[in-house]
Structures are given as structure tokens and as C-alpha cells.
Amino acid sequence: MLFKSLWTFTVLILTFSLGFADDDHEMEEFLKREYSLSKPYQGVGSLGSSHWELMGDAMVTTEQVRLTPDMQSRQGAVWSRIPCHLKDWEMQVHFKIHGQGKKNLNGDGLAIWYTMERMQKGPVFGNKDNFTGLGVFVDSYPNEEKQLERIFPFVLAMVGNGSISYDHERDGRTTELGGCNAMVRNLKHDTFLFIRYVRRRLTVMIDIDGQHEWRDCLDIPGVRLPQGYYFGASAITGDLSDNHDIISLKLYQLTVLRSQKEEQEEEEDVITIPSVDNLELLRLVQTEEGMSGISIFFTVLFSMLGCVFLVVIGVVVYSHWNESRRKRFY
């Protein structure tokens, strides 16, 4: 297990390093209003007069689109009517989660979607399970018992291919790509979520401290998302509840310089089913989640000592074999 962990860490470090080097390029961004949602929410929810459609208990006010009120057993969503065919994009989400419940007596959270399906109610933060595409979740309630190392609310991302189920009992750990804790409830200042997809790399950041600074949450290369999916936001409450509000969803088109070779490779490698490269390695690393810094240090240390021990044994065995062979020869 020690050698397997060391090998996994090494491969992932090399993969991420190559990904960072590959992403060292200039980008320009352009706001795409047809995929964006912001005040005054003119015509949102009405037939034929808006690019956005409401579902369930969602309602529009002058200040926000409220996905759920602070009431039990509610779910709501807002979905774009227009499929997005952008290759590289960035979504900035201005949201608010607040309610009367005390800590760990609130729930359940909200989600930002980029999926093939739209307007389908379900148990995954108000959307259908076994979805096809990307989900970024702000999970505000821990379902897993004896959960110690993870602090909630927690932001995580998942890519589904239509057959992968979200594991509620384990708070999505079995399918997550990564995440970070985000104390976003009942804050007086604005809270933001940043989702970027460029050159098949998914980056999620948060701005929740009122300092207007993005903080890293997850950064995963090799994420393959087809074009032509729909953006949306949803939320759900159960026995516990919260107000889940979307103030704005702003989508930016990113223009990224590519070489002719890169353009040709992407044209030949058409993505039809969402997937993630090196997913098995990511899962293995996540099984190590919760290890302290000291545990990781000793894991690496003993792995290195084990390698040295094997080398020494190999040298001794070879020397003994060579000596025996020499004596037989003479």
C-alpha cells in the first residue's frame, strides 16, 4: 500500500505539473448575456420572454432568484433554455445561503449544473440523479455519520456520464473530483463561486471572506465535457432547511490561443460522453483523505526506505550469486 500511494502521488504531481505548464497562456473573456442571469431578472420564468426557466418552488424577487425558501421539503431550480456551445468558458456565481437554523441544523445545499438534461426534479440538490455532465455542489449538511475531518458547508465537483449515482450517505465522496470547505451560511457580505473550464481543465474557486479575493478549491486536468449542454442552478431542503438564493450567474466566453496542431487534435478527438482522465488515481488519493501531515510524511519516508531496502537486498543477492558462480567456474 505504501508503494502504491507513493506511485500515485508521483503520477498525479507530474500530471498536474504538466497541466499547469500547459495552461500558461493568455486569455480574454467576454460576457455572454444569453447564458447569464442577473438583475432585474426581466421575464425570468415567463413563457417565451426569457432565456431562463423556473422549476418547482423557485421564485423571483427584486433581489434574487430564490431556489428554496427556509421551509422543509422544498426544491427548486432555474435553467437556461439555450444550450451552450462554447469551447472554453467561465461561470461566476453570486449566491447566498441563510436561514434560522443553527449550525448543522440546516440544509441541504445548492448546485450549479452544466448537463445534457434540464428541468428534471430529483434528489441531487433538487436535480435528477444519474445526470450527464458537470455538477458543482455547495453541500451544507453532513449526512455521513462519524464524519470528523470534513467541515461543512463543503464545495465539491462531480462529473456524471448518465450511469453514475450520487452517494448521499457519504456526501458524494465516492464520486467527487475534489473540494474544499466553505463557511458560507448567514454571512453579511457577498459570497461567490467561480467555475472555469478551459483546455479540458476544470478549476473551482471561492470568494467568501469579503476580501474580493479568489481562494483555490479544486483544479483538475483531463476533464472532458461535451458542448451543447445546459447551465442551471438548483437547491433542496428536507427535514432541515435554508433560503438558497442566486443573485447572479454570469457566463464568460474565454478566447484561448491554440496552435494549429492543438486545434486539429481537438477536432479529431470529439467529446460525446463526459469523463475524467486518470480518475482511478484521483479516487485512490481520496481514499487517503484525512491523513495528517505526519502520516503522509511517514508514508513517503517508509516507502523510500522500502525502496532502498529492496535495492540493498538485490545487490547482496546478486553479489552472492555472482560469487557462487565464480567459484563454480574456477
Side-chain angles (χ1 to χ4, degrees):
M1 183 63 185
L2 294 178
F3 296 112
K4 191 175 183 181
S5 299
L6 180 60
W7 170 250
T8 300
F9 291 139
T10 303
V11 171
L12 284 177
I13 288 172
L14 289 173
T15 302
F16 290 170
S17 297
L18 291 173
F20 279 122
D22 186 58
D23 270 0
D24 186 17
H25 52 267
E26 294 184 358
M27 290 185 293
E28 293 183 358
E29 59 182 34
F30 303 92
L31 178 65
K32 304 295 288 184
R33 297 187 182 279
E34 63 269 34
Y35 302 117
S36 299
L37 174 68
S38 59
K39 296 178 183 180
Y41 315 114
Q42 187 173 357
V44 171
S46 60
L47 295 176
S49 62
S50 171
H51 295 318
W52 293 85
E53 188 173 359
L54 298 178
M55 183 180 72
D57 296 303
M59 62 179 293
V60 179
T61 73
T62 57
E63 298 299 319
Q64 70 270 317
V65 175
R66 177 152 292 171
L67 302 176
T68 70
D70 190 2
M71 302 174 67
Q72 294 178 333
S73 303
R74 302 299 177 96
Q75 59 178 303
V78 58
W79 282 95
S80 172
R81 288 189 168 108
I82 307 174
C84 178
H85 292 277
L86 301 179
K87 183 182 295 184
D88 304 296
W89 49 264
E90 176 181 296
M91 174 71 80
Q92 296 184 15
V93 184
H94 184 185
F95 70 99
K96 189 176 182 65
I97 299 177
H98 57 107
Q100 299 298 317
K102 296 181 180 180
K103 184 177 181 181
N104 292 334
L105 293 175
N106 58 279
D108 282 322
L110 62 81
I112 306 299
W113 301 98
Y114 175 70
T115 57
M116 181 175 68
E117 310 88 359
R118 62 181 294 274
M119 298 292 290
Q120 297 187 35
K121 288 185 178 181
V124 186
F125 300 94
N127 190 34
K128 72 181 295 290
D129 200 0
N130 302 107
F131 60 88
T132 308
L134 171 68
V136 178
F137 312 137
V138 183
D139 189 353
S140 57
Y141 181 75
N143 292 294
E144 185 176 7
E145 296 181 1
K146 298 180 181 180
Q147 190 288 126
L148 298 175
E149 76 280 357
R150 179 165 291 187
I151 301 174
F152 283 74
F154 194 84
V155 176
L156 64 150
M158 171 182 170
V159 170
N161 60 11
S163 63
I164 302 174
S165 181
Y166 176 81
D167 188 350
H168 281 277
E169 298 302 318
R170 297 202 60 202
D171 299 309
R173 292 190 186 209
T174 56
T175 54
E176 72 177 40
L177 301 180
C180 62
N181 67 291
M183 308 305 290
V184 296
R185 283 194 75 243
N186 291 335
L187 298 179
K188 294 182 179 180
H189 54 262
D190 294 330
T191 49
F192 297 90
L193 183 66
F194 170 102
I195 306 168
R196 172 182 285 172
Y197 182 68
V198 57
R199 283 189 170 183
R200 299 179 182 177
R201 186 184 197 95
L202 176 67
T203 302
V204 176
M205 294 189 285
I206 55 176
D207 176 6
I208 62 173
D209 300 320
Q211 302 297 320
H212 302 290
E213 294 180 355
W214 294 112
R215 174 160 64 88
D216 293 338
C217 186
L218 64 92
D219 187 57
I220 306 294
V223 177
R224 299 171 178 267
L225 299 176
Q227 299 177 37
Y229 284 7
Y230 296 90
F231 286 105
S234 67
I236 193 170
T237 67
D239 294 334
L240 303 174
S241 63
D242 256 337
N243 295 304
H244 297 95
D245 299 338
I246 296 292
I247 291 88
S248 67
L249 299 170
K250 294 184 179 181
L251 186 78
Y252 294 86
Q253 179 181 9
L254 302 178
T255 58
V256 182
L257 294 177
R258 287 176 169 83
S259 66
Q260 186 175 358
K261 181 180 178 181
E262 289 173 327
E263 291 283 0
Q264 184 176 355
E265 288 176 350
E266 290 189 4
E267 288 178 3
E268 294 174 352
D269 185 16
V270 178
I271 302 172
T272 57
I273 300 175
S275 63
V276 181
D277 297 341
N278 301 315
L279 188 58
E280 294 77 10
L281 293 177
L282 287 171
R283 294 283 180 267
L284 182 59
V285 168
Q286 285 161 13
T287 62
E288 308 291 335
E289 185 179 292
M291 292 176 62
S292 67
I294 295 177
S295 299
I296 295 174
F297 169 77
F298 281 111
T299 296
V300 176
L301 176 62
F302 288 128
S303 297
M304 295 176 67
L305 290 176
C307 291
V308 172
F309 176 75
L310 289 176
V311 170
V312 171
I313 292 297
V315 171
V316 170
V317 170
Y318 176 78
S319 299
H320 178 73
W321 173 81
N322 192 49
E323 181 67 20
S324 300
R325 182 172 176 270
R326 187 175 62 82
K327 288 180 178 179
R328 289 198 303 271
F329 181 79
Y330 290 105

